[in-house]
Amino acid sequence: MITDAQINAMSEAARHAWIDSVQGDEKTILYWPVGRRYTMVFISIVKRLLEQELPIDVRAKLFDWLDSCGADEWLTPEAVAHIEPMCDEGYAIVREAEKLGAGKALDVYARHEVFSAFCALNRTLLSAIELCSNRYGYNSIRRST
Amino acid sequence: MLLANIVQSRNRWHDDMTTKRPKGQRREVAPAEPIEAGYGPAMTLLNERQRLFVRAFFESPKKRGAATFAARAAGYGSPTSSVQSMASISSRLCSDPKIQDAIQEESRKYVTTLGPAAVRALKNLLGSPAHKDHGRAVGILMERIAPIESTHTVRVTHDATPSFKQTAEVMARIAELAAKFNVRLPPPRVIDGEAVEVKSRAAE
């Protein structure tokens, strides 16, 4: 799996060549915006938390946040509903990333190789991207590139 | 039958009162029925010598060294025991929890029996208006007879309706969003308990 650091280190020609060569899931991840990547990771974290015992007010706030995600320009309520809660392995990655601080952790979630790992652990992230892409005709744009 | 008994006892009383008694001789008093002086639970746990110690402790004529006196009276030590050794024995006895319990038990009994004497003293005090503590005695008595009454009005208002309503609304919204976003909520907490059927009086 190629990393963000490797991508950044590529020359422009090499990057174009690599972008043209990527296929399947990797292509889906590549074309998905960075901000939406960590939002989707966060949705799966929140869904994991909601399955546990929580105070009512906290639970209500988390649900409100999920609702606001569904009203997003890119994410649809169907895609939010489609994402499964994060598994234990995924949550272990989250805990490691959180050691860097809240802001940096989001950047880490969005890194190509980290988000790919999340997608490998939770296939619903990829299918949710597909759901959103179909809505906005994003797939056709992606196919044409 | 009853009338005959009354007449008979009256005649006996009359004979007693009218019969001349020799000078210096006191009227014979019928022997009192033996009353079984039962010990309380704490006293029962003690042996005979310890019981004697406790009783002697209360009947000691001394204000100081009462415990030493009681120990000697109960038969502890020997006739040649020094005051120091008797003090040591009495100290050991007084620190025994069983004896302490017995002393407490006996103290309650003594206080109860001192009640009539206290009432008598109070009565005497009330009968002496010149006594400096006459006013206090009156005050104590009045406090017992007619204690000062005070009324407290405490108004507790529970207005839980808005809170309950809000909670219900929040719970409904959570359930709605959980269904919308496919979130499995944890099962509600179950409080373990045992159901006991209570029969109403009417059914009985």
Side-chain angles (χ1 to χ4, degrees):
Chain A
M1 174 68 65
I2 196 162
T3 64
D4 257 21
Q6 286 169 329
I7 296 166
N8 291 337
M10 286 177 186
S11 65
E12 198 171 333
R15 194 181 299 172
H16 278 295
W18 173 73
I19 290 169
D20 290 339
S21 68
V22 290
Q23 292 297 321
D25 294 345
E26 199 170 12
K27 193 169 185 178
T28 309
I29 293 165
L30 180 68
Y31 283 96
W32 192 242
V34 168
R36 301 300 175 279
R37 286 185 197 173
Y38 58 67
T39 304
M40 290 179 88
V41 173
F42 235 87
I43 288 168
S44 66
I45 295 171
V46 165
K47 283 196 165 187
R48 179 190 168 93
L49 291 173
L50 285 169
E51 286 188 347
Q52 296 164 12
E53 286 290 336
L54 287 173
I56 293 173
D57 55 334
V58 176
R59 191 180 292 282
K61 277 181 186 169
L62 291 177
F63 269 118
D64 284 340
W65 181 78
L66 275 186
D67 201 26
S68 69
C69 288
D72 184 78
E73 190 184 341
W74 285 76
L75 291 168
T76 61
E78 294 76 31
V80 174
H82 187 74
I83 296 169
E84 283 285 308
M86 186 171 277
C87 60
D88 292 342
E89 291 81 5
Y91 201 63
I93 299 172
V94 168
R95 277 207 298 268
E96 284 300 315
E98 276 176 351
K99 288 176 186 171
L100 299 169
K104 290 252 180 179
L106 294 178
D107 293 338
V108 171
Y109 301 153
R111 286 172 80 102
H112 185 77
E113 68 276 20
V114 179
F115 188 67
S116 298
F118 280 126
C119 289
L121 291 166
N122 188 356
R123 299 293 299 174
T124 56
L125 291 175
L126 279 172
S127 42
I129 293 173
E130 293 287 341
L131 279 172
C132 298
S133 305
N134 289 335
R135 180 181 179 185
Y136 295 104
Y138 180 67
N139 273 341
S140 57
I141 300 165
R142 197 174 48 146
R143 280 188 204 105
S144 67
T145 53
Chain B
M1 183 68 183
L2 183 68
L3 188 66
N5 280 345
I6 292 168
V7 170
Q8 199 180 351
S9 65
R10 189 180 173 281
N11 289 343
R12 201 184 305 133
W13 177 80
H14 187 260
D15 290 345
D16 285 349
M17 295 307 287
T18 50
T19 312
K20 186 98 173 168
R21 218 175 28 245
K23 204 173 182 182
Q25 190 186 340
R26 302 190 72 178
R27 185 161 60 91
E28 279 186 20
V29 180
E33 286 179 16
I35 300 164
E36 205 170 304
Y39 291 123
M43 279 291 265
T44 319
L45 291 175
L46 304 182
N47 62 33
E48 194 52 44
R49 211 151 62 142
Q50 286 172 327
R51 267 188 225 128
L52 279 172
F53 170 76
V54 173
R55 292 186 70 82
F57 205 173
F58 283 95
E59 284 154 19
S60 168
K62 294 181 175 183
K63 283 184 183 174
R64 288 185 179 181
T68 313
F69 168 85
R72 203 182 281 281
Y76 284 96
S78 66
T80 56
S81 293
S82 66
V83 177
Q84 282 82 7
S85 62
M86 287 311 296
S88 170
I89 291 167
S90 62
S91 168
R92 200 183 65 240
L93 286 166
C94 286
S95 59
D96 186 340
K98 283 201 293 183
I99 290 179
Q100 285 176 352
D101 288 348
I103 288 170
Q104 209 173 10
E105 191 179 270
E106 285 296 297
S107 300
R108 278 198 293 271
K109 276 188 189 175
Y110 270 81
V111 169
T112 309
T113 53
L114 285 173
V119 171
R120 212 159 38 238
L122 187 63
K123 199 175 159 189
N124 289 340
L125 203 54
L126 286 169
S128 323
H131 197 284
K132 66 182 173 65
D133 285 333
H134 176 76
R136 272 185 72 191
V138 172
I140 289 167
L141 202 69
M142 288 310 290
E143 208 172 285
R144 298 291 186 280
I145 295 166
I148 300 164
E149 285 181 17
S150 57
T151 310
H152 296 271
T153 308
V154 181
R155 184 180 291 173
V156 182
T157 312
H158 285 283
D159 189 10
T161 321
S163 172
F164 280 136
K165 201 176 169 186
Q166 278 176 1
T167 309
E169 281 172 4
V170 170
M171 295 304 284
R173 173 134 176 89
I174 286 173
E176 180 199 333
L177 290 173
K180 183 179 177 184
F181 296 118
N182 193 22
V183 176
R184 290 178 293 273
L185 293 174
R189 280 187 190 171
V190 179
I191 301 166
D192 290 330
E194 203 174 306
V196 179
E197 196 179 342
V198 181
K199 285 181 185 173
S200 68
R201 282 184 185 173
E204 284 171 1

